[in-house]
Amino acid sequence: MIPTVVRRIMFYVLVGFGTAFFALPVLWLLSAPFDDTPTYAVRPPREFTLANFQAILDNRYAVGSLVNSTILSLGTMVLVVVSAALAAYALSRAQVPGRDALIYLLLLLSSVVTGTAAMVPIFLLIFELGLIDSHFGVVLVLSGGLLPAAIFLLKDFIDTIPRSYEESARVFGASPLQILRQIVVPVARPGLATIAVWTVVQVWGSFLTPFILLRNQDKQPAAVLVRTFYTEGGSPNLGLIAAFSLIYSIPVVLMYLLAWSRYGFRFHGGIKS
Amino acid sequence: MAAITIGALTKEFPGGVRALDGLDLTIVDGEFFALLGPSGCGKTTLLRTIAGLESPTSGSIRIGSREVTPLPPGARDVAMVFQDYALFPHMTVQENIAYPLKIRRQPRPARAAKAVSVGAQLGLDGLMARRPAELSGGQQQRVALARAVACHPSVFLFDEPLSNLDARLRLEARTFLKRLQRELGVTTVFVTHDQAEALALADRIAVMEAGRIRQVGTPREVFGRPANTFVANFIGSTPMNLLPGVVSGGRVELSGQALALPPSVADALGDGEKVIVGVRPEYVSLSRDRGDLAGAVSIVEHLGTSSLVTVEVDGLLVGATVPEDTEPEPGTPVWLTPSPARVLIYRHDDGTLVG
């Protein structure tokens, strides 16, 4: 028998190591951008400086890549949220034979056939469509990959919204569009917000699809551009990478905080939970 | 204000389940009408078909002078209160009550004024800015009622309006509901599986079983003279005694002992005919020294101000209620006497009331 005190100490030591393991990169990200000679070591800035941020502003592509990331993220988000909401609502309310099998099949295929495995056919498809080097093509491919999971999650959410809400509105004379706009969407808003944030995060961090489909560096998003930050000597430009990574991660963190404070990532509807 | 006329209404669900089976029913203008029956008898389907949420396989529904069968729910001029109240969680009480008016494109100030006045009428003042999740069950129910009242329909449809309330609140809400209906005078159909609720609230009751109506009548009729053994069994807080017997010489023989037939039915029955004798425990008196049927006390159940005594009479179990503090001990030999005017005779083969 190990005494309770010893067991507790061991537990906290273990938790401490775990925390440190995940905290180190974050600490590096918070200190390295302000260091004039950043290394891989986590340490307070030796000489505090904002020169790294100035270097980003001077870089021809950096600011543009963040704009590209925003365009891709928001475009994919709108497409995914709107189509997933419509599909999930229909799948939740209509009696379609083989509905559940269809959803599971889509989900299975989208997770088994990963983007990497399907990259060659996708590239050929987009090439034939003449959408190489266009943001629209990337939005289409990314949406296609995210939709099955989004539909699956949203359908589960909409299933928990009592049908009596819609029926009640129907008896009062509301049209289907009014019911959707005034009842279903507001009640499903936490679910829609979750899907929206999740989509943005997925697209914001996606590398392979935009890397392959966007040849022109002016159109590449931040996740792709960051690989080009090297010094003239051919070694990674740590100052630039660190500062850019910090800027790059802020919108995602802000979005999480905003969505969390407003909706708390609930995944159920209805009054009593 | 409108009467509801239902003709040969049939609803068949995919898979061949007949929820409603050629139903005919007329609900009078201004009436408080109960649809009563066990789970799965089709009462909710009937209500939803009147509302237009289900379309009938055949048959017709008229509200007032209008044929509404082909109309969508919103064009029928009805208001429905759902079992779960279906209050919109993202709207305040006031917005909920005003929602039907918003659909009718009434101007915002008129909507607010109406919501406030109806809310006050139903005792909701002070709660108008809250959301449904911040209300108690009883308050939620009143909001649902207020929303129905605010749209001034010609018919109210209530689907088990009281079943989500706890027992004490239910009695209060019952009185409240009846008073509200009296004041408004709007034709009201409500669905319930609780016979006590139906008896207490309704002007008339339709007792349903398996998609058919087994009896329509006032609470007094349905309670006092159930038209068949199904209704007899279903109505009443203590189950009615239904005892199989055989007619013989103006009497009914019940496994060895005999009861006099009520004079009104004696002529309709021949010797040797199999019947079922129905009598409520409340109408059976228990005595220790004389009576019609001899037996021994088997179980005593306390009901509050009275007790239900189950007596074994030659293998038959017969219930009788006695006032509190006069319960016999189990095992005591006792006599039972059904009140002659309250004895009902049903035919054995189809369970219908004789006479």
Side-chain angles (χ1 to χ4, degrees):
Chain A
M1 265 311 275
I2 311 166
T4 323
V5 184
V6 177
R7 276 221 314 249
R8 188 163 288 178
I9 289 171
M10 283 165 62
F11 174 72
Y12 282 123
V13 168
L14 216 68
V15 170
F17 273 116
T19 312
F21 182 78
F22 290 104
L24 280 176
V26 178
L27 291 175
W28 183 81
L29 190 62
L30 288 177
S31 76
F34 305 100
D35 202 326
D36 66 335
T37 51
T39 63
Y40 291 114
V42 177
R43 54 162 200 214
R46 192 153 295 168
E47 191 87 33
F48 185 85
T49 172
L50 291 174
N52 293 324
F53 293 94
Q54 186 58 48
I56 285 175
L57 289 178
D58 295 341
N59 186 299
R60 205 190 123 202
Y61 302 108
V63 177
S65 76
L66 287 168
V67 174
N68 290 336
S69 280
T70 312
I71 292 172
L72 289 180
S73 300
L74 295 184
T76 312
M77 181 197 83
V78 170
L79 191 62
V80 166
V81 168
V82 171
S83 352
L86 294 174
Y89 183 55
L91 285 170
S92 169
R93 294 308 193 231
Q95 297 294 328
V96 187
R99 174 188 65 184
D100 291 347
L102 176 81
I103 295 174
Y104 279 107
L105 196 72
L106 275 177
L107 194 69
L108 194 70
L109 283 180
S110 77
S111 53
V112 170
V113 185
T114 55
T116 325
M119 217 57 243
V120 173
I122 284 176
F123 180 81
L124 292 174
L125 186 70
I126 294 296
F127 183 77
E128 290 295 322
L129 289 171
L131 291 174
I132 294 291
D133 242 357
S134 87
H135 284 151
F136 183 59
V138 178
V139 166
L140 276 186
V141 171
L142 289 175
S143 300
L146 297 175
L147 265 175
I151 292 173
F152 179 79
L153 290 171
L154 262 186
K155 183 195 158 284
D156 259 16
F157 184 86
I158 291 175
D159 280 346
T160 66
I161 301 175
R163 269 164 205 246
S164 60
Y165 291 178
E166 293 145 59
E167 287 175 343
S168 179
R170 260 175 79 198
V171 175
F172 292 130
S175 68
L177 207 66
Q178 280 176 315
I179 293 175
L180 193 70
R181 231 186 44 229
Q182 295 167 353
I183 311 294
V184 178
V185 168
V187 174
R189 193 168 280 154
L192 296 175
T194 309
I195 295 299
V197 171
W198 173 78
T199 307
V200 168
V201 171
Q202 295 282 323
V203 176
W204 195 259
S206 78
F207 172 78
L208 191 65
T209 308
F211 175 63
I212 291 176
L213 297 182
L214 297 173
R215 310 309 308 160
N216 186 341
Q217 224 174 8
D218 281 326
K219 295 192 170 176
Q220 288 181 344
V224 176
L225 189 84
V226 79
R227 84 186 198 288
T228 63
F229 291 163
Y230 283 87
T231 58
E232 290 84 353
S235 59
N237 187 341
L238 284 181
L240 205 54
I241 290 176
F244 191 71
S245 301
L246 186 63
I247 295 173
Y248 170 70
S249 57
I250 284 172
V252 177
V253 174
L254 283 184
M255 267 194 62
Y256 262 117
L257 291 179
L258 180 80
W260 179 65
S261 66
R262 283 200 60 179
Y263 304 112
F265 290 111
R266 280 196 310 149
F267 239 82
H268 54 80
I271 290 179
K272 294 225 161 136
S273 51
Chain B
M1 315 292 129
I4 303 172
T5 317
I6 292 164
L9 196 69
T10 298
K11 171 71 186 177
E12 203 164 310
F13 283 110
V17 181
R18 278 207 160 197
L20 302 174
D21 196 356
L23 222 125
D24 292 294
L25 183 64
T26 302
I27 296 162
V28 182
D29 185 14
E31 194 170 33
F32 203 172
F33 194 91
L35 298 173
L36 175 66
S39 304
C41 71
K43 55 191 192 296
T44 297
T45 305
L46 177 56
L47 194 79
R48 290 171 60 87
T49 312
I50 297 173
L53 292 170
E54 307 279 353
S55 50
T57 313
S58 63
S60 76
I61 302 166
R62 301 176 71 81
I63 295 178
S65 56
R66 294 187 307 144
E67 171 73 44
V68 299
T69 325
L71 295 183
R76 295 189 176 200
D77 197 20
V78 301
M80 186 157 171
V81 173
F82 288 79
Q83 186 172 359
D84 60 2
Y85 312 137
L87 300 178
F88 307 131
H90 58 292
M91 298 184 192
T92 62
V93 168
Q94 180 165 336
E95 288 165 340
N96 262 290
I97 298 175
Y99 186 73
L101 309 175
K102 183 177 174 183
I103 295 295
R104 293 181 194 175
R105 302 185 184 289
Q106 289 198 9
R108 200 176 285 265
R111 269 162 26 200
K114 181 77 188 170
V116 168
S117 79
V118 172
Q121 191 186 350
L122 278 94
L124 291 166
D125 20 35
L127 303 174
M128 302 303 276
R130 293 210 198 163
R131 287 184 194 263
E134 299 160 354
L135 301 177
S136 71
Q139 290 165 339
Q140 287 184 15
Q141 190 226 23
R142 290 214 299 277
V143 176
L145 286 172
R147 190 169 62 176
V149 170
C151 68
H152 269 298
S154 45
V155 172
F156 282 138
L157 303 172
F158 296 158
D159 187 4
E160 308 241 6
L162 303 175
S163 65
N164 278 6
L165 302 176
D166 56 59
R168 226 193 133 67
L169 202 56
R170 199 177 300 177
L171 287 182
E172 269 173 44
R174 204 158 87 177
T175 318
F176 179 82
L177 202 60
K178 185 151 186 167
R179 212 187 61 218
L180 185 73
Q181 200 270 341
R182 284 278 173 281
E183 281 171 11
L184 300 171
V186 175
T187 313
T188 303
V189 185
F190 81 102
V191 159
T192 179
H193 63 268
D194 181 348
Q195 49 85 31
E197 200 174 292
L199 292 174
L201 280 173
D203 295 324
R204 281 198 307 153
I205 300 172
V207 185
M208 293 182 65
E209 183 203 13
R212 293 163 191 268
I213 291 178
R214 300 305 304 268
Q215 185 173 8
V216 180
T218 62
R220 197 171 294 278
E221 286 164 1
V222 173
F223 184 81
R225 289 186 67 78
N228 47 61
T229 47
F230 172 78
V231 178
N233 220 340
F234 195 73
I235 302 272
S237 45
T238 52
M240 188 190 261
N241 295 305
L242 293 169
L243 313 166
V246 180
V247 176
S248 156
R251 296 170 70 77
V252 191
E253 288 188 7
L254 303 165
S255 71
Q257 304 192 40
L259 266 182
L261 270 178
S264 57
V265 304
D267 298 341
L269 295 165
D271 272 11
E273 200 161 334
K274 285 172 132 185
V275 293
I276 291 171
V277 177
V279 61
R280 294 198 180 280
E282 292 85 351
Y283 300 140
V284 178
S285 61
L286 184 143
S287 151
R288 277 158 220 253
D289 41 329
R290 76 171 80 80
D292 293 344
L293 301 168
V297 175
S298 141
I299 302 164
V300 178
E301 293 164 58
H302 294 277
L303 304 176
T305 57
S306 61
S307 288
L308 176 64
V309 179
T310 305
V311 177
E312 193 178 334
V313 179
D314 297 334
L316 291 174
L317 293 176
V318 185
T321 53
V322 298
E324 57 185 331
D325 299 333
T326 63
E327 303 92 349
E329 287 296 308
T332 323
V334 290
W335 292 86
L336 296 175
T337 311
S339 158
R342 300 293 191 174
V343 172
L344 304 166
I345 305 294
Y346 296 95
R347 292 188 196 280
H348 187 274
D349 43 358
D350 58 1
T352 53
L353 183 65
V354 180

